[in-house]
Amino acid sequence: MQVILLHPRFNRAKSITLGARHIALMIAGFLLAVLLATGLLYFLTARYAVGLPFLPFIGKEVSNSAAGVPDKDKYLKENLAAMAVKLGEMQAQLMRLDALGERVQGLAGVKPEEFNFKEAPGRGGAESSSLYDRRSHDMSMSEFQHALDAMSRDVGYRNDYLNVVETVLMSDKIKSKLLPTNQPVNVNYNSSSFGWRLDPFSGRSAFHEGLDFPASVGTAIVAAAAGVVIAAEYHPQYGNMLDIDHGNDIITRYAHASRLFVKVGDIVQRGQHIADIGTTGRSTGPHLHFEVRIKGVAQDPRKFLNAGTDLAKVATLAGKQ
């Protein structure tokens, strides 16, 4: 190939002859220039395209490609931190649940060795089936998070349930302490029972509204249950008399005492010494006249005292086992 060059500085035209070698070198130089330009353009795009407002899609792609691994690590760290917090909350809930379970266990009378909250219960079973939908597999992050959330909810539900059970058991225990089941005098028999009898003064048939416990003057009289003293006075027929309110419209009466040791408004405990045996009022000899009234109606005290004896026997047997 011959190329003729013309220019005002030249006195005459010049010609250049290009062979195959020259053409090959020109093509190679052109391709090298294109590659260098492409590389430079790619570098400038990767370096500055994130901040170019007129190339948002390129900026996003470059940002994602350049920061892909760090973002993944950050995601894993944030999830692990969130699960660690959740695990700490569950551990605290389980500690409260263990303490609550032990309180409920004590109120219900369950032996510690029968239900130990400090030890994990035994577990086991056959290996997973080979069926596709039952085949064992590693948990994914989402499955683990779902299981953790479900367990946290279950722990909360059980905590609420045990709180309700504890409240009911505590209420029943308090009510049982307020029932007059403790015998007010330490004697083995009563001289006059609840019901119809011959009146010792008139000889006529009359209804006796309590139990008479004979004992020597000065023998201690104790409260049959915890309550509040609502009467401490002398009565023409009952003599020195005490009335104790136990709640739920239950009142006990202690009559014919020689001395009273409590006054109106005092809070007494079960088994507390409240008076001494005497023979004041309408009495033929030293004894305690004991009544139990519900809504003002006299009840047979033996129903309550026998219940207290049965409970004591059950407690004794439980303690020996």
Side-chain angles (χ1 to χ4, degrees):
M1 177 184 293
Q2 188 175 20
V3 179
I4 299 174
L5 301 177
L6 299 174
H7 195 273
R9 293 182 180 181
F10 297 158
N11 296 325
R12 56 189 179 87
K14 294 182 179 182
S15 62
I16 299 175
T17 303
L18 298 177
R21 181 184 175 191
H22 296 92
I23 295 174
L25 289 174
M26 291 175 63
I27 294 173
F30 175 76
L31 292 177
L32 180 61
V34 171
L35 290 176
L36 290 175
T38 303
L40 180 60
L41 180 62
Y42 179 81
F43 171 76
L44 294 175
T45 302
R47 179 68 178 83
Y48 301 104
V50 177
L52 296 178
F54 53 88
L55 293 175
F57 62 94
I58 297 180
K60 183 176 179 181
E61 291 297 326
V62 172
S63 176
N64 290 339
S65 62
V69 175
D71 282 351
K72 185 177 180 180
D73 291 342
K74 182 179 179 182
Y75 171 78
L76 290 175
K77 289 179 180 179
E78 289 177 351
N79 274 271
L80 288 174
M83 286 189 289
V85 172
K86 179 69 72 175
L87 185 61
E89 293 175 354
M90 288 180 60
Q91 288 175 338
Q93 287 179 328
L94 286 173
M95 291 179 65
R96 290 196 298 267
L97 200 60
D98 287 345
L100 181 59
E102 289 179 354
R103 293 200 303 270
V104 172
Q105 171 184 295
L107 289 172
V110 180
K111 296 180 181 178
E113 57 270 18
E114 292 180 0
F115 203 93
N116 190 353
F117 285 88
K118 301 298 184 184
E119 296 180 0
R123 304 170 66 188
E127 191 175 356
S128 300
S129 173
S130 60
L131 296 176
Y132 179 76
D133 58 344
R134 299 182 182 178
R135 191 177 301 164
S136 61
H137 63 282
D138 295 333
M139 292 184 69
S140 64
M141 183 69 72
S142 60
E143 288 176 332
F144 181 73
Q145 183 68 48
H146 179 73
L148 197 63
D149 293 339
M151 186 178 295
S152 179
R153 289 193 299 271
D154 289 343
V155 169
Y157 294 154
R158 281 160 175 74
N159 185 70
D160 294 339
Y161 175 75
L162 280 178
N163 274 316
V164 173
V165 173
E166 182 190 28
T167 301
V168 173
L169 289 175
M170 184 66 73
S171 177
D172 291 342
K173 188 172 184 180
I174 292 174
K175 288 179 180 178
S176 67
K177 287 186 176 182
L178 296 176
L179 290 176
T181 56
N182 187 58
Q183 186 161 307
V185 182
N186 187 20
V187 295
N188 296 324
Y189 70 99
N190 59 81
S191 57
S192 186
S193 298
F194 178 87
W196 290 97
R197 68 171 185 176
L198 292 177
D199 188 276
F201 290 93
S202 66
R204 301 176 64 183
S205 180
F207 194 86
H208 188 230
E209 296 185 333
L211 296 177
D212 289 342
F213 295 98
S216 59
V217 174
T219 302
I221 300 172
V222 299
V228 179
V229 178
I230 59 173
E233 59 191 16
Y234 182 84
H235 190 278
Q237 297 191 42
Y238 289 113
N240 291 324
M241 177 193 75
L242 279 176
D243 281 355
I244 299 178
D245 187 348
H246 305 285
N248 296 318
D249 297 317
I250 300 176
I251 294 174
T252 53
R253 176 168 293 172
Y254 311 79
H256 309 304
S258 59
R259 289 193 302 170
L260 305 178
F261 297 109
V262 292
K263 61 184 183 299
V264 174
D266 286 353
I267 298 175
V268 297
Q269 304 298 322
R270 175 189 294 270
Q272 180 178 332
H273 186 188
I274 56 175
D276 285 343
I277 290 286
T279 184
T280 57
R282 192 171 183 267
S283 170
T284 61
H287 73 286
L288 167 67
H289 173 79
F290 177 64
E291 294 181 7
V292 177
R293 294 180 175 269
I294 299 179
K295 294 184 178 180
V297 179
Q299 308 289 324
D300 188 350
R302 288 175 296 188
K303 294 187 297 183
F304 297 92
L305 299 180
N306 291 339
T309 302
D310 293 340
L311 289 173
K313 289 180 179 178
V314 171
T316 303
L317 291 174
K320 291 181 179 180
Q321 292 178 354

